[in-house]
Amino acid sequence: MLIGEKKIARPLRWGMIGGGRTANVGPKHRRGALYDNTAFKLVCGAFDVDPARNVEFGTNLGVDKDRLYPDYKTMIAEEAKREDGVEVVDIATPNFLHYEMVKAALEAGLHVICEKP
Ligand SMILES: NC(=O)c1ccc[n+]([C@@H]2O[C@H](COP(=O)([O-])OP(=O)(O)OC[C@H]3O[C@@H](n4cnc5c(N)ncnc54)[C@H](O)[C@@H]3O)[C@@H](O)[C@H]2O)c1
């Protein structure tokens, strides 16, 4: 992605695991990804360890309620059933959760954004 320049034919369907309302890095990833509004479209999320907060927060972000999942495993499984399912996931949870989440996403054939470690 280059700022302001459209380099791909359509935005990638993008989901977030973690990065909920009080999270530090989630908002920064969203701002960066949506900067020029051409590369990513946020279509689903398991933004929060608390499922009710996830639905409230994700709705406020503009994600369809039926694509706000109680946990990442459900999100990956349900999105895989859709023709317009998520293509890339951003994992913005605490570090100790990264391995299992990245592994599950890669095994489902998804692209992964995960910043350290
Ligand atoms: N804090 C920083 O300045 C910074 C900078 C760069 C990268 N990072 C990296 O970003 C990641 C997140 O850091 P942070 O500071 O935003 O953490 P944080 O603790 O502020 O936020 C974590 C978010 O993940 C959610 N979460 C926790 N468990 C979950 C689960 N099982 N399913 C779904 N959501 C879950 C929490 O509800 C919260 O919204 C870390 O890997 C960190 O290394 C942090």
Side-chain angles (χ1 to χ4, degrees), residues 35-51:
Y35 203 64
D36 68 2
N37 213 22
T38 61
F40 296 97
K41 178 173 167 43
L42 187 59
V43 297
C44 66
F47 295 99
D48 200 295
V49 70
D50 179 288

Side-chain angles (χ1 to χ4, degrees), residues 16-29 46-50 53-54 57 69-72 91-98 100-101 114-117:
M16 283 197 92
I17 301 170
R21 178 175 287 130
T22 59
N24 191 329
V25 84
K28 293 169 188 149
H29 282 203
F47 295 99
D48 200 295
V49 70
D50 179 288
R53 258 193 335 234
N54 174 51
F57 181 65
Y69 300 100
D71 58 77
Y72 79 91
I91 294 169
T93 52
N95 296 351
F96 77 96
L97 293 168
H98 286 186
E100 61 176 271
M101 292 174 170
C114 186
E115 223 193 313
K116 66 182 179 176

